[in-house]
Amino acid sequence: MLEVARLEAGYGSARVLHDVSLTVAPGEMVFVVGRNGAGKTTLLRTIAGLLPSAAGEIRFEGRSVAGLAPEKRARLGFRYVNQEKRVFSPLSVRSNIELAAHGAGEPFDSAWRRAVALYPKLDEFRELPAGRLSGGQREILLIARALAGQPRLLLIDEPTEGLAAIVIEDIFRILERMRQSVAAIIVEQNLAIVRRLADRIYVMKEGRVVHEIADPRKIAGAEPLECFL
Amino acid sequence: MTFMPERAAFSVQPAARGALLREIALLAAGLLLLALVIRVHWMADFAVFFILVLSFDLLYGYMGHLSFGHMLYFGAGAYGAALWLVYGNASAWAALAVGLAAAAGMAALLGGVVLRTRGASFALINMAFNEIGHFLVQSPLAAYTLGEDGLSCTADPLFGAISLYEDRWAFAFCGAVLLAVYALLRLLTRSPFGLLVRSIRENESRVRFLGYDTFRFKWIAFVIASTIAALAGGLFTLVQGFVSPRVISPFGNVDVIFAVLIGGAGSLAGALIGAAAFLAIKNFLPVIIPELSRLLDVKLPQWELWLGVVLLLIVFSLRGGIVGTVQARLRNRKPAGEAQ
């Protein structure tokens, strides 16, 4: 579904990603792990079209998407959930979903039903400005927003970063429900979640993919994932 | 994929319609009250300024694009109408239409350029175009605009009976247009389009990643804001019967920006309150300061200096503007019913 081959990217003249290759199959949940500064966020931002690639190839369903603007990638089904948990703060929770639903050409009602099914508490906060949600609730709202329309590929950056354990469990359940229904690349530091959900893991170090773990269940218990970091 | 809002989202729900009617009634009552407090012959000018400030609020308050060149479109509307009245015919409606068309065309064209920039560049490139417009009417087009001398023009009465040179009719007409503009902007800013424009102010790249071609929506908002500014300009010409390069001067942008900042950007009520407060300060300080000077028997500096001081005090003490500050205080008073 998604093929990234020999990708190079960075900020201005500073190259961050070097020769990065990865693949994502339909419905596959791929995790990217690595220490801070490994280039994980840069990788997601480049795939999302928020950063230009300097070299290499990004192909989605056989078609090159290099050079496509973020909105055009979004129309192909890409959805990017940023690390900063930034919602449209002054808009209500409802309006945040409404905006995403309109952009994706989906009626608001069905997008809202899906969001509430994902996290019933959203219904209580329907008219509350999204900026007044807690960090975890914002993350859930962002994921619910990303699911509007018919996403084909979710790009989620550190969904559990800085969240309390109880909220992490909520996020875990949401991600678990999404498995098999939509392909995803998730950058995550919480290795317990990675172990439980990953169909495939890429370990990054200094802007390069240094390990690919095609069947993470095989390493569970036998070889701690931490040893790859 | 295009932005295709559901019909229901654009239709005015009964509750929303009621709220809109209440706001319109409140605004009309406010205008009438203001007309009782100050002289009626000022009221048309006030209404024109209110419309201009509302248009700027769409651009700056809602979309987050600060422009130092909004007066270009006010001036285009004013000069378009005046030139039609002088060189075309005396129809007020046709003059207004020409002013609006000229400004809308100009905004459509220039919007394609200025909206490629953001922040300070956007503000300054707009000012540069405003300066070009100001220069054009002063000098190269002086054969038509009569340059610094300005252009006098006369419009026929509306419907053959309503003369806009009579203060009460001028006020009634400009007030009615103001109410219509308020209603239009109120519907627009609460529609999915309004949501989108506000979201662009928050973070444009995130909106793009929801699949929206943000440039197109910014361009539409820019053209709407500019055309409403031109409507204010056209009304100015109709009620004043005279235009000069002052109506297109970039200095006029300062008044509009201050008015929005005082009232609170991103709120139509804020824009109106800010415009009223600004006009009150600007019109009454020249009266109060000399009086105060005489009473205290002290030579006080010119009123313009005090205007600057008062405006700075208001802007710095009320960071969210009058409306933003009041809303924040009301919010803080409410018991914490926030998301847990």
Side-chain angles (χ1 to χ4, degrees):
Chain A
M1 183 182 209
L2 181 84
E3 293 165 63
V4 175
R6 310 186 71 80
L7 185 68
E8 310 253 333
Y11 302 88
S13 58
R15 194 64 57 89
V16 176
L17 298 181
H18 307 278
D19 198 24
V20 172
S21 297
L22 59 84
T23 59
V24 182
E28 194 177 30
M29 197 165 263
V30 171
F31 279 79
V32 178
V33 300
R35 295 193 186 285
N36 286 341
K40 307 181 296 292
T41 296
T42 306
L43 173 63
L44 280 200
R45 288 174 61 82
T46 310
I47 295 172
L50 297 168
L51 281 177
S53 52
E57 190 68 68
I58 304 172
R59 299 184 76 79
F60 183 65
E61 295 181 330
R63 172 192 169 183
S64 173
V65 295
L68 273 190
E71 64 269 25
K72 290 190 174 151
R73 294 188 200 203
R75 286 173 209 164
L76 289 176
F78 286 43
R79 300 283 187 275
Y80 176 61
V81 177
N82 62 60
Q83 181 182 12
E84 298 86 6
K85 303 180 178 27
R86 285 194 189 142
V87 289
F88 294 113
S89 306
L91 303 188
S92 65
V93 170
R94 177 194 201 281
S95 296
N96 267 267
I97 297 288
E98 193 176 13
L99 196 67
H102 282 305
E106 182 184 10
F108 166 72
D109 287 342
S110 69
W112 180 253
R113 272 198 303 275
R114 188 188 310 105
V116 172
L118 208 61
Y119 189 65
K121 269 194 170 178
L122 280 183
D123 211 26
E124 290 174 34
F125 307 141
R126 189 179 165 112
E127 300 305 331
L128 197 73
R132 291 164 76 180
L133 295 179
S134 68
Q137 287 158 349
R138 284 185 203 195
E139 182 65 33
I140 291 167
L141 175 60
L142 285 171
I143 293 173
R145 209 172 68 181
L147 290 174
Q150 297 205 317
R152 311 289 306 280
L153 176 68
L154 295 178
L155 305 164
I156 307 179
D157 200 356
E158 309 238 13
T160 65
E161 191 200 19
L163 301 182
I166 189 163
V167 189
I168 291 178
E169 200 53 36
D170 283 337
I171 306 255
F172 168 77
R173 273 196 293 272
I174 288 168
L175 294 177
E176 194 174 37
R177 284 182 62 178
M178 284 162 35
R179 282 189 75 192
Q180 306 300 325
S181 59
V182 58
I185 303 179
I186 303 172
V187 166
E188 184 54 69
Q189 302 266 29
N190 186 326
L191 298 182
I193 284 198
V194 176
R195 253 188 233 107
R196 288 157 75 188
L197 293 176
D199 294 315
R200 186 196 301 264
I201 301 171
Y202 288 96
V203 182
M204 287 189 72
K205 190 175 180 185
E206 294 171 0
R208 296 174 194 278
V209 170
V210 290
H211 288 288
E212 177 186 349
I213 305 166
D215 190 352
R217 279 155 202 85
K218 281 187 182 166
I219 62 159
E223 203 172 3
L225 186 55
E226 286 80 352
C227 74
F228 291 102
L229 299 180
Chain B
M1 191 179 299
T2 52
F3 182 72
M4 291 291 287
E6 298 159 71
R7 284 183 65 80
F10 266 131
S11 66
V12 182
Q13 304 299 318
R17 196 185 297 130
L20 174 62
L21 289 175
R22 275 196 299 278
E23 286 172 35
I24 295 287
L26 197 67
L27 177 56
L31 285 175
L32 289 172
L33 197 67
L34 202 61
L36 293 176
V37 176
I38 63 173
R39 292 176 197 161
V40 174
H41 84 256
W42 280 4
M43 284 308 296
D45 287 351
F46 273 39
V48 165
F49 187 68
F50 288 164
I51 295 169
L52 177 62
V53 173
L54 282 175
S55 73
F56 183 74
D57 197 34
L58 176 65
L59 189 62
Y60 172 58
Y62 284 90
M63 201 166 79
H65 281 51
L66 176 64
S67 166
F68 291 155
H70 204 54
M71 288 303 285
L72 174 64
Y73 304 100
F74 179 86
Y79 267 101
L83 289 168
W84 178 261
L85 291 174
V86 173
Y87 301 105
N89 61 41
S91 161
W93 299 114
L96 263 186
V98 168
L100 290 188
M106 196 185 286
L109 206 66
L110 297 184
V113 178
V114 297
L115 289 166
R116 309 260 171 215
T117 63
R118 305 182 66 171
S121 307
F122 177 81
L124 294 175
I125 198 169
N126 273 293
M127 189 165 81
F129 279 122
N130 197 160
E131 191 56 61
I132 290 170
H134 185 225
F135 171 72
L136 283 176
V137 299
Q138 266 186 317
S139 191
L141 298 176
Y144 306 99
T145 62
L146 305 187
E148 285 289 354
D149 293 339
L151 201 58
S152 294
C153 50
T154 310
D156 286 343
L158 298 174
F159 309 113
I162 300 171
S163 168
L164 294 178
Y165 306 114
E166 283 180 39
D167 293 337
R168 62 197 171 102
W169 285 123
F171 166 45
F173 184 62
C174 293
V177 175
L178 169 62
L179 296 180
V181 166
Y182 180 87
L184 172 77
L185 287 177
R186 167 73 157 61
L187 291 174
L188 197 68
T189 52
R190 303 273 173 105
S191 71
F193 176 81
L195 277 185
L196 190 63
V197 166
R198 287 164 68 197
S199 308
I200 287 172
R201 177 187 66 187
E202 279 285 294
N203 189 316
E204 189 176 342
S205 6
R206 266 181 277 151
V207 179
R208 287 178 73 192
F209 213 80
L210 292 177
Y212 292 101
D213 177 359
T214 51
F215 180 83
R216 190 153 60 97
F217 293 101
K218 287 195 302 181
W219 181 84
I220 293 170
F222 183 78
V223 173
I224 293 173
S226 304
T227 308
I228 295 174
L231 177 62
L235 288 175
F236 176 88
T237 297
L238 293 184
V239 297
Q240 296 290 331
F242 177 76
V243 288
S244 72
R246 197 178 60 85
V247 301
I248 199 171
S249 164
F251 289 114
N253 293 303
V254 178
D255 293 4
V256 183
I257 294 168
F258 262 125
V260 168
L261 290 178
I262 290 170
S267 144
L268 297 180
L272 291 172
I273 291 169
F278 178 82
L279 287 176
I281 296 165
K282 193 174 176 179
N283 285 289
F284 293 118
L285 268 185
V287 179
I288 292 168
I289 295 297
E291 278 296 318
L292 207 61
S293 188
R294 204 166 28 250
L295 274 174
L296 300 174
D297 198 21
V298 182
K299 185 168 169 47
L300 293 170
Q302 290 284 315
W303 68 270
E304 287 92 338
L305 176 77
W306 296 105
L307 174 67
V309 171
V310 169
L311 292 177
L312 284 174
L313 281 176
I314 292 175
V315 170
F316 281 111
S317 58
L318 304 173
R319 287 295 172 97
I322 296 169
V323 167
T325 306
V326 170
Q327 281 174 340
R329 291 200 178 150
L330 288 176
R331 219 174 15 242
N332 292 340
R333 267 193 204 171
K334 282 184 187 168
E338 315 279 289
Q340 298 299 315

